[in-house]
Amino acid sequence: MYYLYIPAHYNPAHKYPLVLLLHGGGERSKPGNTLSQNEKLLLNDPYASVWSADYNAPGNPHIQQNWPCFVVIPQMESSQQWVNVDVHQGSYVQPSQPSTPLLLTKELLDALQHMYTGIDSNRLYITGLSNGGLGTWDAIERWPTYFAAAAPIAGAGDPSKAAVLKNLPIWAFHGSMDPTIPVSGSREMIAAIQAAGGHPHYTEFAGQGHGVWPYVYSLNTSPLRVTGFFSWLFSQHK
């Protein structure tokens, strides 16, 4: 299952960026739910709804008004993960094959670019949180030239593969006291990219736990809110 947001007044003669958002483990579809219940489980979460023109909350970044874009939000089943590893261990050895939901997502993005000629293939962005943060790292390590920028939040990757990311614009985020996915997951990826000659951005929220994505996606007016994130993201081109 996936959800697609199409920019208002979409004109196929124009070019629009596309954002792929990978959700966390708590928003996976539940087998006992109706389709509507699973949709609400994911799309009613502020980190998903913030990307729409209808979002209205304090700190609203007005994404569609400032940066009209396609937004793709796939939804995994309850038994699935974006990466088939223990998500709580931090850094991992990348499995030889992508998980089924991640592979299907890549195929979906390829198909959408044929369906909607207004999608700018030079401005495909990927971001995700928690389980989706791992998925973000895994996707860009598998397909390092596919996306124009990546923003993994509270995730982890395979540092031994990080050299392929040295030229990709990346802004990673993590809480220093994360009890769910160790902050070492982000620290080790950033260090490995830097060692390979890359210049990724990294913001670590001192004293914060796992749920740091509201600061990144402007879901509140906290002093920890990351100003400039969306302008940075949408300015990236391949």
Side-chain angles (χ1 to χ4, degrees):
M1 181 67 70
Y2 72 91
Y3 304 96
L4 174 66
Y5 187 95
I6 301 171
H9 314 298
Y10 167 65
N11 181 346
H14 295 167
K15 288 295 185 182
Y16 301 81
L18 178 148
V19 177
L20 171 62
L21 174 64
L22 301 184
H23 65 75
E27 290 71 58
R28 290 176 287 196
S29 67
K30 301 185 186 306
N33 280 3
T34 64
L35 286 174
S36 177
Q37 287 172 327
N38 281 325
E39 178 181 354
K40 290 178 180 177
L41 176 66
L42 178 58
L43 298 190
N44 283 4
D45 195 296
Y47 75 72
S49 59
V50 70
W51 300 90
S52 80
D54 299 328
Y55 182 76
N56 185 19
N60 187 354
H62 300 288
I63 294 171
Q64 291 298 329
Q65 290 83 351
N66 291 315
W67 306 280
C69 61
F70 285 82
V71 184
V72 182
I73 310 180
Q75 188 173 32
M76 293 188 292
E77 298 176 0
S78 61
S79 61
Q80 295 177 317
Q81 296 192 147
W82 293 117
V83 189
N84 292 324
V85 296
D86 178 359
V87 300
H88 304 296
Q89 71 181 11
S91 298
Y92 54 85
V93 175
Q94 187 181 57
S96 60
Q97 299 297 322
S99 69
T100 295
L102 191 66
L103 180 59
L104 290 175
T105 296
K106 172 62 164 54
E107 294 174 351
L108 170 63
L109 294 184
D110 291 340
L112 288 173
Q113 291 174 75
H114 290 288
M115 294 169 61
Y116 297 93
T117 56
I119 294 175
D120 187 348
S121 61
N122 291 315
R123 296 180 70 199
L124 305 180
Y125 309 126
I126 181 171
T127 185
L129 52 97
S130 189
N131 200 307
L134 274 81
T136 299
W137 282 118
D138 190 63
I140 59 178
E141 288 195 310
R142 291 186 188 278
W143 307 295
T145 63
Y146 193 78
F147 297 97
I153 305 172
D158 181 346
S160 73
K161 303 280 183 68
V164 299
L165 303 176
K166 67 178 183 178
N167 296 319
L168 179 67
I170 294 170
W171 194 346
F173 304 87
H174 218 122
S176 70
M177 302 296 289
D178 191 332
T180 305
I181 297 177
V183 67
S184 59
S186 290
R187 289 176 179 172
E188 290 168 6
M189 284 300 301
I190 294 299
I193 297 169
Q194 291 173 334
H199 302 281
H201 296 284
Y202 178 52
T203 297
E204 188 169 297
F205 300 97
Q208 297 299 303
H210 187 54
V212 296
W213 43 91
Y215 310 136
V216 183
Y217 296 148
S218 296
L219 306 184
N220 55 38
T221 56
S222 165
L224 295 178
R225 178 180 175 178
V226 180
T227 58
F229 169 68
F230 292 108
S231 59
W232 170 84
L233 182 69
F234 288 103
S235 70
Q236 305 303 322
H237 292 255
K238 282 171 58 176

